[in-house]
Amino acid sequence: MSRITREEVANLARLARLDLAEAELDEYAKQLEIILESVAKVGEVATADVKPMSHATGLVNIFREDKVETSLDREEILKSAPATEDFRFRVPRILDEE
Amino acid sequence: MSDLTKLSAFELSQQLQAGSVSAEEVTNAHLDRIEELDKKVQSFLHIDKTGALKQAKEVDSKRKEKQKLSKLAGVPLALKDVLTQKDVPTTCGSKILEGWLPPYDSTVVKNLKNAGIVILGKTNMDEFAMGSSTENSAYFSTKNPWDLTKIPGGSSGGSSAAVSAFFAPLSIGTDTGGSIRQPAAVTGIVGAKPTYGGVSRYGLVAFASSLDQAGPFARTVLDCAMLHEVMAGHDPKDSTSINQRVPDVVAAAQMQDVKGMKIGYIKELNGKGWQPGVINRFNESIELLKSMGAEVKEISLPHSIYALATYYLIAPSEASSNLARFDGMRYGLRVDDGNSSAEEVMNKTREKGFGKEVKRRIMIGTYALSSGYYDAYYAQAQKVRALIAQDLTDAFKEVDVLISPTSPTTAWGLGERVNDPMAMYLADLATLPPSLAGIPAMSVPIGLADEDKLPVGLQIIAPFMQDDRMYRVGGAVEASLKSKWNGLLIDQIPTLGGAS
């Protein structure tokens, strides 16, 4: 089990889109190390022939008839949006300006 | 306390059906008590007085018109703030959803409304259901009505506190790794996690999709079963919903007989780290079950010792993916100075909108799913999960149900574990194996611990889609203890003050 450095925390935060404050990097480095060391215990179990379990029901590929149904009202949904324009979500720029 | 708030949902339903009381009176009695005393307990994030009274009056007028009504029509309920209710604030205990008004009802809420159940408001919770004390709520901490300096359990602590404080006879929680059963145990009430897939997850804001399950809280096993029956059933809107008949939990809750049943107590969930008062009450309930004619023996679940590690890899992994939807683009909080790119806005919104524990779990999940670590962490955890589930399947070849204490300790002091995430995670030790296996489990009160006079819960675990079996055992234990104590455990709760 390798140590969790503040650089690793910064990288995880970048992947998870979290703009962590400097002070948080140290705090999380310490805590994540303790937690990850503890959960690494799963490695003790011999699992060579075990099929991974993703959920409990065993259900696969649930289909429905391809029928048109009424969905949620557009205006109702946009009511709670942070910003809208012309009945659409308005989002900040996604490309650099240059 | 008004007599109406003391009654169980079953008793209220009898009076409502007889016409000796109206739904409006019942609703007002509970709203009055909330108004007077919730400032002490802080179980509600939002009280929907107008909506609740409107629902109650609708039930009353339907009853006057002799329309057919469900048994629980007119009975009030408190709803965990993780289930959407149309046009009623739904925050998940997070600042990132502050002010959001859902444009739709969750299926659970739809089922409640169809049954005429009156929704009083939304209850406090650990942010996105991550926690065991409700202290991770971004708004405030809920207090345990047995002792206002203690935690009410979590993550459904607002719901457990509301029912134990007699603010509502029924409430709804969600359970991913114990978030219904542990709060029920530490507040001296009944709480059940149905079989995974038994209750629709449509409109349940996702934490860990393969584990999340909504379920009932109540002060009696029968009330819990009646609410379970209303909530459960197949829903085409949830592709993991099970298309089978709902087990007859209500009949099972009323059997009050365990003669000839085979019951196993779990060897590994005992010993070091377990509070002696919890173990004492648990050992007494083993003796009680024997005296009632059950055959009780020890069962070993060898892989259960890995449940904590397995869960704290799988749940954060799923959470890191599920919580990616909170990006500040379509609903909820957006932190935008007007000059930032979409990506910068996302980073800032998520940093500001999520609390410490949520960020911690998102990063653990991100780590466990990242290339280089995936096989050793997430993939390995999924395999160990299969072995934990297999242990339980094997156990049920020998016994009808399994039992353990619900939680290693009684309610601890507010603030005691907030800076120690691992100590907080240990509260889930006993509740995790059935969660990982997707099987039903419930907690029923079995007395107060000697050391601190706080409630202890018995966990009863049943096989997949055999939820009725746990209600049968729970109902029998409750009936036997009730005659011993001359009432329910919750009747021993200290008064909260007010006009009682």
Side-chain angles (χ1 to χ4, degrees):
Chain A
M1 177 70 222
S2 56
R3 283 186 55 91
I4 301 294
T5 61
R6 70 200 301 284
E7 288 68 37
E8 278 174 287
V9 176
N11 185 44
L12 287 174
R14 187 185 57 79
L15 292 170
R17 300 279 181 273
L18 295 166
D19 190 15
L20 291 189
E22 282 296 309
E24 284 181 294
L25 293 177
D26 292 318
E27 190 189 344
Y28 281 127
K30 227 183 305 163
Q31 290 175 339
L32 294 191
E33 185 166 304
I34 294 169
I35 295 166
L36 289 168
E37 204 176 299
S38 167
V39 295
K41 206 178 155 191
V42 294
E44 293 170 8
V45 185
T47 53
D49 305 318
V50 181
K51 237 180 94 193
M53 174 177 177
S54 60
H55 72 115
T57 63
L59 295 169
V60 277
N61 294 346
I62 304 300
F63 297 110
R64 62 167 172 81
E65 289 287 309
D66 187 16
K67 269 196 322 224
V68 178
E69 287 174 31
T70 32
S71 48
L72 296 173
D73 182 77
R74 190 165 176 166
E75 259 179 78
E76 289 252 17
I77 289 171
L78 289 171
K79 238 176 20 190
S80 276
T84 60
E85 194 177 310
D86 298 335
F87 290 103
R88 291 178 178 84
F89 296 111
R90 185 181 164 82
V91 301
R93 65 183 161 80
I94 54 167
L95 298 171
D96 286 332
E97 279 172 64
E98 60 268 30
Chain B
M1 178 184 334
S2 113
D3 286 345
L4 290 175
T5 57
K6 271 187 208 157
L7 299 179
S8 69
F10 176 76
E11 289 162 339
L12 283 172
S13 110
Q14 301 252 297
Q15 294 206 9
L16 285 159
Q17 288 176 66
S20 55
V21 68
S22 71
E24 192 182 346
E25 286 170 290
V26 171
T27 302
N28 271 319
H30 287 88
L31 286 170
D32 288 349
R33 185 168 165 83
I34 292 166
E35 195 166 303
E36 191 188 356
L37 294 167
D38 197 41
K39 49 185 176 291
K40 292 188 180 178
V41 181
Q42 295 190 282
S43 55
F44 283 91
L45 282 169
H46 178 81
I47 296 157
D48 184 22
K49 194 171 173 172
T50 317
L53 286 169
K54 187 169 163 258
Q55 278 182 288
K57 284 175 193 164
E58 273 169 27
V59 169
D60 286 336
S61 62
K62 280 184 188 164
R63 203 178 309 271
K64 227 169 264 163
E65 291 161 15
K66 305 254 184 280
Q67 286 190 38
K68 197 172 154 39
L69 289 167
S70 95
K71 276 186 219 141
L72 290 175
V75 176
L77 168 143
L79 182 67
K80 186 178 183 180
D81 205 28
V82 70
L83 287 146
T84 62
Q85 183 180 356
K86 191 173 187 305
D87 296 328
V88 175
T90 300
T91 67
C92 301
S94 181
K95 291 282 181 186
I96 212 161
L97 278 175
E98 193 168 23
W100 180 55
L101 295 176
Y104 70 107
D105 277 335
S106 52
T107 297
V108 166
V109 166
K110 196 186 85 194
N111 292 347
L112 296 175
K113 285 183 174 174
N114 287 343
I117 293 175
V118 175
I119 304 171
L120 299 172
K122 308 295 289 289
T123 57
N124 198 19
M125 56 184 284
D126 284 303
E127 186 176 3
F128 287 107
M130 298 176 189
S132 306
S133 70
T134 312
E135 292 163 300
N136 292 334
S137 164
Y139 298 92
F140 44 77
S141 296
T142 299
K143 282 80 190 170
N144 190 323
W146 284 81
D147 176 346
L148 299 173
T149 68
K150 306 284 187 193
I151 58 106
S155 64
S156 313
S159 291
S160 66
V163 167
S164 55
F166 294 82
F167 295 153
L170 302 172
S171 68
I172 283 177
T174 59
D175 190 315
T176 303
S179 284
I180 292 174
R181 291 161 283 161
Q182 181 258 6
V186 301
T187 58
I189 60 170
V190 183
K193 181 195 92 74
T195 295
Y196 177 84
V199 173
S200 170
R201 288 186 298 113
Y202 180 73
L204 192 183
V205 180
F207 155 23
S209 309
S210 79
L211 299 156
D212 295 343
Q213 188 63 200
F217 282 105
R219 292 186 295 263
T220 72
V221 174
L222 176 58
D223 281 7
C224 203
M226 287 169 77
L227 180 55
H228 185 133
E229 194 175 49
V230 169
M231 297 171 71
H234 180 244
D235 178 15
K237 286 199 167 90
D238 172 2
S239 60
T240 57
S241 169
I242 295 165
N243 196 357
Q244 275 181 42
R245 197 180 61 86
V246 178
D248 195 350
V249 291
V250 174
Q254 292 171 298
M255 278 180 77
Q256 302 189 356
D257 164 39
V258 290
K259 212 166 285 163
M261 278 188 94
K262 291 189 183 131
I263 298 176
Y265 62 90
I266 302 169
K267 182 184 165 198
E268 287 77 9
L269 298 176
N270 210 323
K272 204 178 142 235
W274 291 71
Q275 189 178 322
V278 169
I279 297 301
N280 288 346
R281 294 296 85 78
F282 178 66
N283 289 339
E284 284 168 15
S285 54
I286 292 179
E287 293 311 312
L288 179 72
L289 286 162
K290 282 184 190 162
S291 74
M292 292 163 79
E295 201 183 297
V296 187
K297 65 170 180 176
E298 185 180 88
I299 290 281
S300 174
L301 304 175
H303 295 95
S304 63
I305 55 169
Y306 297 103
L308 195 76
T310 305
Y311 176 84
Y312 279 98
L313 282 167
I314 288 173
S317 295
E318 293 185 15
S320 71
S321 162
N322 274 325
L323 270 59
R325 63 169 59 90
F326 299 102
D327 55 11
M329 297 298 132
R330 293 152 300 160
Y331 41 75
L333 181 73
R334 178 187 289 183
V335 178
D336 189 0
D337 56 13
N339 306 308
S340 301
S341 69
E343 192 178 323
E344 285 160 350
V345 168
M346 275 181 212
N347 291 342
K348 288 187 179 122
T349 301
R350 289 163 62 79
E351 169 63 11
K352 184 142 194 286
F354 288 142
K356 279 187 176 182
E357 179 66 15
V358 172
K359 288 191 268 184
R360 195 149 47 221
R361 295 210 197 179
I362 288 174
M363 286 192 286
I364 295 168
T366 305
Y367 184 91
L369 292 174
S370 57
S371 74
Y373 298 110
Y374 181 92
D375 287 332
Y377 287 91
Y378 184 66
Q380 174 71 0
Q382 282 192 308
K383 290 178 185 170
V384 181
R385 181 180 185 177
L387 293 172
I388 293 167
Q390 189 58 47
D391 281 355
L392 283 155
T393 306
D394 293 344
F396 287 123
K397 286 174 191 154
E398 288 186 59
V399 292
D400 301 313
V401 297
L402 288 161
I403 55 171
S404 77
T406 306
S407 183
T409 67
T410 55
W412 58 89
L414 287 157
E416 263 177 37
R417 299 190 189 177
V418 280
N419 294 317
D420 188 352
M422 277 316 295
M424 193 74 90
Y425 298 172
L426 284 172
D428 301 336
L429 212 55
T431 47
L432 292 173
S435 293
L436 289 163
I439 57 179
M442 76 189 295
S443 181
V444 295
I446 48 168
L448 304 178
D450 313 298
E451 306 89 349
D452 50 20
K453 303 283 174 275
L454 288 169
V456 176
L458 171 73
Q459 178 176 234
I460 309 161
I461 308 167
F464 196 77
M465 282 306 272
Q466 309 278 335
D467 305 45
D468 48 332
R469 277 195 209 168
M470 67 185 183
Y471 279 96
R472 180 177 167 190
V473 175
V477 167
E478 179 188 71
S480 169
L481 291 172
K482 198 174 165 188
S483 65
K484 184 177 151 195
W485 297 328
N486 208 11
L488 296 165
L489 185 70
I490 195 71
D491 297 332
Q492 298 176 32
I493 195 168
T495 170
L496 274 175
S500 48

